[in-house]
Amino acid sequence: MEPAIGSNPALPAAKRPHSLRVDSHHSSFTDKRSAELEHVVYSAMRSTPVWDLHTHLYPSAFGSPVPAAMEAVDPQGLSLWGIDELLTYHYLVAEVYRVVPATRLPYEQFWRMSKTQQADHIWQHLFVDRTPLSEACRGVLTTLARLGLDPNERDLESHRKWFAAQTLDSHIDRVMEVSGVSRITMTNAVFDDNERNRWLADPAAGADDRFRAVLRFDPLLRDWQSAGPQLREWGYDVSEDLNDKTIAEIRRFLHNWINRINAIYCAVSLPPSFHYGGPDDHSAGSTVLREAVLPTLAELGLPMAMMIGSRLQVNPSLKDAGDTVEKSDVASVVQICSDFPENRFLCTMLARENQHELAVAARKFGNLMVFGCWWFLNNPSLVEEITRMRLELLGTTFVPQHSDARVLDQLIYKWDHSRNIIAKVLVDKYADVEATGRRVSEGDIQRDVQHLLHGAFADFLTP
Ligand code: RAT
Ligand code: ZN
């Protein structure tokens, strides 16, 4: 066996890792303390419930297309769970097209396949024929294992049988327990007909205490040309030119829907090209933001979440898997936080290159809460880098992660993996603090972990 680097006598002393210096007394002390720190941090991280502030999950009242024990299947249902949904997650659709390209399986043919056939295809090529190394593949294995299923099982049918024997409501409880998620925040897209009609048909659809609602209205800020006519169709007296009457009507629309779904904040995904140029910026998006959206939210005391940096549909044949990442403009976020001190902003950005500038912006504005390692950033190496940098710049005043789960069971792996990385970074940071001579107590650690997983977001909602 190769000797561990720290014990290699050929290495000059200065290059040996700090905790393995040849001073044996010092060494056993620091090793023991770092083992203690590790134990306390990982236990706190595993036992502290998390409030997941951004998912695409729904209570059972929104219907489910997944067959379950004695439950009706709703083909357009929004509540996704189970093995076939896990395998057809859009992250994995993109990955299977790396190994079975469109020249061998034309996109239209893939989309014509049933969900079961698509899942079989992905399972065969990414999990049976290849080692499931990517983060999204590994996530399926973590999920199965934590649910008590065998990650070595190659026969998909046995997993299918297990899921088909569950009922959705009790499965939601089980997944929340296994993942340690105490509250799931939805993303409620009011411009999506399927979703909007469900709220209109059953105003109590969201009344499930495990979930909280968020009003999402991308077209209002991204595409007034199409959002305006929609609002008109829904009975709001708006016109294209964003006059006073139109602004008042947009505000009425927002009030109505925030109240209808009992939203805890409002949210938009904005393109990399998103720019806000201050009071003289009269583009439609900026005008709606400045004159309708932000005054309404300030009046209601609700934060606005901006998710910035996804360029939609660079390969439309991949559908949800067809979006990409590009660098965005942090200066616009700074301008918004500065121009609207009465508003609170949650912000996540998709490009790795934007993370440092965004964290620095949060040092300047108390009304800015940075959150999550979003989508293409939700990979262990990047979560570690970003979390480390945020802790160094912001202490615990940020929300390190959200799951973005689209399939209920994904809560398990997304939180399992993220908790481990956040814990790893915290152990290092506590060791650095203790290196100054300051002791870190178990109570300190529990308080910090609770803040990172729950309190920072909860306090930001109700300051
Ligand atoms: O991460 C994702 O699943 C993306 O497809 C998007 O849903 C993104 O998170 C968003 O909320 O727009
Ligand atoms: Zn999302």
Side-chain angles (χ1 to χ4, degrees), residues 286-301:
S286 295
T287 307
V288 174
L289 180 70
R290 182 177 50 241
E291 292 178 23
V293 173
L294 294 182
T296 305
L297 294 191
E299 188 188 327
L300 296 173

Side-chain angles (χ1 to χ4, degrees), residues 296-351:
T296 305
L297 294 191
E299 188 188 327
L300 296 173
L302 297 184
M304 171 79 193
M306 299 181 289
M307 308 178 67
I308 313 176
S310 117
R311 189 170 148 216
L312 302 181
Q313 300 295 282
V314 287
N315 182 355
S317 303
L318 280 171
K319 300 194 179 178
D320 279 350
D323 304 344
T324 194
V325 51
E326 275 173 19
K327 288 185 281 262
S328 304
D329 180 31
V330 180
S332 289
V333 177
V334 167
Q335 181 83 44
I336 290 170
C337 292
S338 158
D339 285 3
F340 300 93
E342 302 302 319
N343 286 87
R344 279 166 285 131
F345 300 92
L346 290 152
C347 186
T348 197
M349 294 182 95
L350 195 52

